[in-house]
Amino acid sequence: MLGTSPVDLVDRAAAIEDLIPHDAAAGLRAAMLPVARDPGLSDALSARVLDRMATPRRRLNFIRHAAGRAASVRTVAAELGESERTFRRRMLSDFGYGYATLVRIQRAANARHLLERGAKPSEAAATAGFADQAHLTREFRRLVGITPAQFAGSSA
């Protein structure tokens, strides 16, 4: 995006207009003005981002929790103070797969917990956020290797 290697920019200051198109730079400056004018807002945003990223474990737990509630990539990236592209890249290095896969895994884990507590597969599907029981069965078989009914029968 910047037209140069990030290594070339280390320890250097560059005008944003020299790096991105003028219209994009103007839009970025306009978006940043409210934060620049209100130090309290800037401090609150910084504290929120720093709190979420204080330790790698807290960051990963935050992402897992967000995936469990099926938050969008855009929402999670914004809450972490990252661009969507950076968030997607870090997902691959942190988890070894993308955010959508983590959402699928978390949804299947939620269904598994429900099945362990005696829920019927149709109830687990609806509660865990699957479109229907067939959707749960397909995803569960892909991720766990057996159907929800087989899992429920094995844990009884």
Side-chain angles (χ1 to χ4, degrees):
M1 179 178 113
L2 299 177
T4 186
S5 167
V7 174
D8 295 336
L9 298 174
V10 172
D11 295 327
R12 292 184 50 201
I16 195 155
E17 291 83 6
D18 295 341
L19 302 172
I20 62 175
H22 182 72
D23 291 341
L28 186 57
R29 284 187 191 279
M32 292 170 55
L33 278 175
V35 175
R37 289 184 181 138
D38 182 358
L41 179 59
S42 177
D43 292 344
L45 290 172
S46 296
R48 200 165 117 200
V49 169
L50 288 174
D51 184 51
R52 295 237 166 80
M53 296 183 64
T55 65
R57 176 174 279 179
R58 285 184 74 187
R59 181 180 190 282
L60 298 181
N61 286 340
F62 173 79
I63 294 169
R64 280 189 198 96
H65 177 72
R69 58 184 167 86
S72 71
V73 167
R74 174 175 288 162
T75 299
V76 179
E79 289 177 350
L80 289 169
E82 298 175 354
S83 70
E84 288 181 48
R85 182 179 169 135
T86 297
F87 175 67
R88 289 176 195 276
R89 189 174 55 251
R90 290 187 71 184
M91 276 296 302
L92 292 176
S93 68
D94 291 344
F95 288 89
Y97 44 80
Y99 182 71
T101 300
L102 180 60
V103 170
R104 290 175 50 219
I105 291 168
Q106 291 296 109
R107 187 180 299 140
N110 291 342
R112 181 179 56 86
H113 290 300
L114 293 165
L115 293 167
E116 287 173 338
R117 292 188 176 106
K120 295 178 184 176
S122 59
E123 296 168 341
T127 304
F130 289 92
D132 53 28
Q133 185 176 343
H135 182 207
L136 166 63
T137 299
R138 282 190 310 274
E139 286 293 300
F140 210 82
R141 186 180 289 132
R142 278 187 200 127
L143 296 169
V144 181
I146 59 175
T147 67
Q150 292 169 325
F151 178 81
S154 71
S155 63

